[in-house]
């Protein structure tokens, strides 16, 4: 996956809208030579700060890998890949706010609102969500294949929105402190986490012109990878290494979060994660050898330490 | 404009994603008959609350009127019109938060976070911004005319985002309490307000397949209408009737906001608003009699009392 991750990091670092400038806080529109330079400070720094923190870049890498299953010109899909990272990053910034999870550290660094203040963190999140759509709408591939692009953007929007990630987030916040319950933890994990790990597969495949069977295989892989990823996350919060994770552990229990081990116990949680990995692997059969990268990725997901 | 406003209100009230349900707090995905019903409570109520408060619906009505200049089937553009209202509403919800303007009333009712709590208000705003793009991407017109749709969505995204409304919002928050300055108030009013009143014109015209001259005329009209609208808003906060406005007056001065009268004085502010109205009227010449509705709208904008 390194080739994808490197390409994603390069794309994000060179986003014209977020390039660091000479420090002028505001540029008047009529004086600004390139329109892209109009993003004012400190908004630009706040967005860059969270977007460029070292991350696994798993969502964008998955989208590129999925697209690459069916088409060679995977670089064309970079704006869509990076749009997913923007959506993921906005959700973390808002999730960390005092009114939500009230977290002080993320990926080993102070959270956005700790550095830039709450108001700016809210705006940086709003800006990144909006920028995800701007980035996709302005991409070459969108102009060249508008029908596929509209389908892929629709898929990303649905899974990121109030029937997807935002829905999961709502339940996660609303049900804090209530008794662990199977139907709730399933709903939260599916929407809060798996939806944004399924979207890279389905949207990447749609962009490359996949057929229904391929889309369904991608959906199965993404959903099971997402569930395995979140169960592992729950387990790491319970028994992981805070230094490696870059954040405090034991927070889920302290907050009364609905987690997989809280509902099913640690042993069943481990088994369920493994079973998801196997289902994800099985879903890849129709793609043959081309899917080896995706096989490797999901195989290691339950072993991760951070 | 009443025919447009009524159509907008009907569209918003019947949004499948936000229909009130029987009160079940969560619907499990596999049990949910129509996918659209998956939006969980209290998120759905929080979004409906702000979206359905009585409002002027000026942005969606403008988009429909602009589209109607060039095409008869204006109902086709309703999803785009209502997407603008969703973006406008999300920006108000986040703007009212304690970390931003800390407002308790909006349109005569308690603000979103006063009713649903800060966390839910943040999620409702995020959900509405995302839903704006979902609504456009799922619209019939987007499938039928993907190239025009992509152009219109790109225009809306740019003017709503970090080079548009969010940029204006950033300066509005950042510069609170600093000395009034012409270049700042121009930047804030252009981006915080005029961008989201220009987008209905340009996006509506793009959707209807306008040529460059028509787009430029729409841009001129929208920008000048937007500036006249915001200057009038500034004047109303200074000398308007709180009961009619449904919110407290004198807040701009109290907060040290960058307003037009604070920079230029009341007399020049009134003159500038009138001059914007005249420029907006002049821009409509190329549309002939068809633009009479838009003429009437901008002529009354400086007389409004709320």
């Amino acid at each position: 996956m390194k080739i994808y991750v490197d390409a994603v990091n390069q794309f994000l670092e060179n986003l014209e809208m977020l390039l660091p400038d000479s420090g002028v806080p505001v540029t008047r529109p009529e004086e600004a030579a390139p329109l892209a330079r109009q993003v004012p400070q400190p908004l630009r720094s706040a967005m860059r700060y969270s977007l460029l923190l070292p991350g696994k870049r798993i969502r964008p890498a998955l989208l590129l890998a999925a697209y690459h299953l069916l088409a060679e010109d995977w670089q064309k899909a970079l704006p869509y890949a990076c749009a997913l990272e923007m959506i993921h990053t906005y959700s973390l910034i808002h999730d960390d706010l005092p009114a939500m999870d009230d977290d002080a550290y993320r990926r080993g660094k102070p959270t956005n609102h700790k550095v830039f203040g709450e108001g700016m963190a809210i705006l940086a999140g709003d800006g990144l969500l909006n920028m995800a759509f701007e980035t996709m709408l302005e991409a070459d591939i969108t102009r060249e294949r508008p029908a596929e692009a509209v389908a892929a953007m629709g898929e990303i929007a649905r899974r990121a929105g109030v029937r997807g990630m935002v829905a999961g987030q709502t339940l996660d916040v609303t049900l804090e402190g209530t008794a662990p319950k199977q139907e709730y933890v399933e709903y939260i994990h599916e929407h809060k986490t798996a939806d944004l790990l399924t979207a890279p597969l389905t949207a990447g495949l749609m962009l490359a012109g996949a057929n229904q069977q391929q889309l369904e295989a991608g959906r199965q892989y993404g959903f099971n990878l997402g569930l395995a990823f979140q169960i592992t996350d729950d387990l790491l919060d319970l028994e992981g290494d805070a230094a490696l994770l870059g954040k405090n552990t034991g927070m889920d229990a302290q907050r009364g979060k609905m987690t997989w081990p809280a509902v099913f116990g640690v042993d069943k949680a481990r088994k369920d994660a493994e079973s998801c990995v196997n289902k994800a692997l099985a879903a890849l059969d129709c793609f043959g050898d081309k899917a080896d990268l995706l096989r490797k990725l999901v195989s290691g997901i339950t072993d991760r330490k951070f």
Side-chain angles (χ1 to χ4, degrees), chain A residues 100-121:
Chain A
M100 309 275 284
D101 276 358
D102 195 12
D103 270 309
Y105 287 92
R106 166 75 68 181
R107 296 175 182 172
K109 299 270 185 183
T111 43
N112 199 287
H113 66 273
K114 288 285 177 194
V115 180
F116 298 95
E118 268 183 69
M120 205 45 58

Side-chain angles (χ1 to χ4, degrees), chain A residues 22-44:
Chain A
S22 52
V24 182
V26 184
T27 314
R28 289 181 66 187
E30 56 273 41
E31 284 167 6
L35 189 67
R37 284 304 193 111
Q38 285 184 29
V39 182
Q41 290 294 19
L43 179 65
R44 201 185 318 160

Side-chain angles (χ1 to χ4, degrees), chain A residues 63-93:
Chain A
L63 188 139
L64 297 173
Y67 182 92
H68 205 174
L69 287 174
L70 305 181
E72 283 309 306
D73 57 346
W74 60 268
Q75 288 92 341
K76 282 247 161 193
L78 268 168
Y80 282 69
C82 292
L84 280 171
E85 191 69 10
M86 294 173 198
I87 291 172
H88 175 59
T89 304
Y90 113 75
S91 79
L92 299 182
I93 294 175

Side-chain angles (χ1 to χ4, degrees), chain A residues 22 27 39 43 54 58 63 72 91 95-96 103 113 116 130 150 153 166 181 189 200 213 262 268 277 306:
Chain A
S22 52
T27 314
V39 182
L43 179 65
I58 185 170
L63 188 139
E72 283 309 306
S91 79
D95 196 30
D96 288 337
D103 270 309
H113 66 273
F116 298 95
N130 197 97
V150 161
M153 283 188 278
V166 178
K181 207 170 158 186
H189 282 29
Q213 188 215 348
K268 180 157 161 52
V277 168
F306 59 91

Side-chain angles (χ1 to χ4, degrees), chain A residues 59 62-67 69-70 80 84 148-149 151-160 194-223 287 294:
Chain A
R59 291 159 195 82
L62 278 171
L63 188 139
L64 297 173
Y67 182 92
L69 287 174
L70 305 181
Y80 282 69
L84 280 171
E148 286 87 348
M153 283 188 278
E155 172 72 6
I156 289 171
R158 200 178 65 77
R159 292 199 185 266
D195 267 336
L196 216 60
L197 285 159
T198 306
L201 271 291
T202 42
L205 290 167
M206 282 174 178
L207 212 48
N211 63 32
Q212 278 306 314
Q213 188 215 348
Q214 292 165 328
L215 280 181
E216 177 54 23
R219 198 191 64 74
Q220 286 283 350
Y221 173 87
F223 172 79
F287 296 111
L294 291 174

